[in-house]
Amino acid sequence: MTRPKLTDRIRRGVFLLDGAMGTQLFARGVEPGSCNDWLNVKSPDIVLEVHRAYCDAGSDAVLTNTFGANRYALARHGCADKVFEINKAGAQVARRAAGEDRYVLGDIGPTGDFLEPLGGLRADQVADAFAVQAKGLRQGGVDGFIIETMTALDELEIAINAAKTAGGGLPVFASMSFDKGGAGFRTMMGVDVPTAVSKMLSLGVDAIGFNCGTAALDEYVDLSKACVAAVRSAGKETPVFAEPNAGKPELVDGQAVYRVTPDEFTVACRKIADTGIHILGGCCGTGPDHIRTVAQMLRH
Ligand SMILES: [Zn+2]
């Protein structure tokens, strides 16, 4: 292996993740609404092409195409029995693109439902679902896990613990998705930044972050400051990561459209990096051109 340990590497300079996966798949002819995660098995070459585009753009790590590869999200596409296979294949195709020099992070997204008593999911079943996903990703050769777009503290905690126990001790990054409202930054479930950060710190994650959400570009800079401040005020040095969207989405004919250019995105990423974060990437609306421009900025 030619790459340093992931937990060491993320403390040296700014570590660059990739951008969005879904929009890149759609740009290559994949039908919106179909099961993106199943492509790891069915058409790995399309997924490989997206990963390669991000590696060529300058990403230090790619995220596996497994955001929806837990049994609950897969059940909506009729593939709940393929969790392990899809995750293992997702890790393998990402590794093919990343090679031995770049890192692969196993992407774990939410179930899309709520735990009891708010919803119908039982904690032990959710824990098992995330454990199966983490095992598949680990078998496929990931360097660590990134748990993203979480909005509820109970599901976040279950996912982190499952990735830690089933993931064979690999590093775990975790992030929640915040929106800016009248009460400041909150997740959809009402969790504020200090509460999210203190929960993640107590669970011992290796990096704490935010991703997605509907903030405008400059609001992500404020969100970043809030995350860094919350970590520091707890007396910790846990690395912080930011995966902003390409600005606020506009709804056009029912589709979310992101109009932020690579240059505008990069100006915001510079400000975000200056708040003291260690890891940068892009969420919805970002593509290889956004990542390339950020990579060039980071080199200067
Ligand atoms: Zn997003």
Side-chain angles (χ1 to χ4, degrees):
M1 196 195 286
T2 51
R3 55 194 184 280
K5 228 173 107 184
L6 178 60
T7 44
D8 293 336
R9 175 61 186 81
I10 57 174
R11 288 171 184 277
R12 270 184 242 155
V14 176
F15 185 73
L16 185 57
L17 307 177
D18 58 9
M21 171 60 75
T23 39
Q24 294 300 308
L25 293 174
F26 305 148
R28 287 165 175 80
V30 173
E31 283 282 307
S34 63
C35 184
N36 288 350
D37 309 84
W38 176 240
L39 294 174
N40 297 334
V41 177
K42 189 185 142 216
S43 314
D45 286 348
I46 300 181
V47 181
L48 181 69
E49 218 182 285
V50 177
H51 287 319
R52 284 204 168 132
Y54 283 120
C55 290
D56 291 346
S59 294
D60 298 307
V62 290
L63 275 54
T64 56
N65 175 40
T66 55
F67 178 77
N70 61 72
R71 81 169 60 111
Y72 300 101
L74 288 177
R76 293 176 200 118
H77 298 284
C79 359
D81 57 335
K82 305 250 179 357
V83 177
F84 187 87
E85 182 186 5
I86 288 173
N87 282 283
K88 184 176 175 188
Q92 287 171 328
V93 68
R95 177 59 68 201
R96 267 171 71 200
E100 290 302 311
D101 294 331
R102 291 183 167 86
Y103 298 80
V104 174
L105 292 177
D107 197 12
I108 296 177
T111 58
D113 207 340
F114 301 116
L115 277 123
E116 290 178 340
L118 205 58
L121 303 185
R122 268 177 39 201
D124 60 327
Q125 292 171 336
V126 173
D128 183 64
F130 285 130
V132 176
Q133 180 172 17
K135 281 181 191 161
L137 289 167
R138 183 179 169 219
Q139 276 261 318
V142 299
D143 297 295
F145 303 96
I146 185 162
I147 297 165
E148 295 189 303
T149 327
M150 287 288 168
T151 62
L153 284 180
D154 51 4
E155 186 174 3
L156 171 80
E157 177 167 1
I158 290 170
I160 291 170
N161 286 335
K164 277 177 165 278
T165 48
L170 293 176
V172 177
F173 300 179
S175 87
M176 298 194 92
S177 182
F178 298 92
D179 298 324
K180 177 88 182 272
F185 292 104
R186 300 260 178 177
T187 71
M188 190 181 72
M189 301 303 289
V191 182
D192 63 16
V193 173
T195 307
V197 168
S198 92
K199 180 59 134 185
M200 292 192 257
L201 286 173
S202 75
L203 294 168
V205 299
D206 297 280
I208 286 174
F210 60 85
N211 75 293
C212 212
T214 57
L217 269 186
D218 277 339
E219 292 172 348
Y220 282 116
V221 181
D222 297 335
L223 179 53
S224 199
K225 283 179 190 158
C227 280
V228 170
V231 171
R232 292 199 180 144
S233 75
K236 303 280 188 186
E237 289 179 8
T238 307
V240 175
F241 68 97
E243 291 179 279
N245 285 347
K248 238 182 181 36
E250 284 172 39
L251 270 188
V252 179
D253 297 332
Q255 297 275 5
V257 177
Y258 297 85
R259 301 197 189 277
V260 167
T261 65
D263 286 337
E264 290 164 338
F265 185 72
T266 300
V267 168
C269 282
R270 175 74 266 165
K271 293 180 196 165
I272 289 171
D274 290 342
T275 66
I277 62 111
H278 291 75
I279 304 164
L280 264 177
C283 204
C284 300
T286 60
D289 291 340
H290 294 84
I291 296 301
R292 183 176 301 105
T293 315
V294 174
Q296 285 161 355
M297 174 273 286
L298 291 174
R299 281 199 295 269
H300 289 103

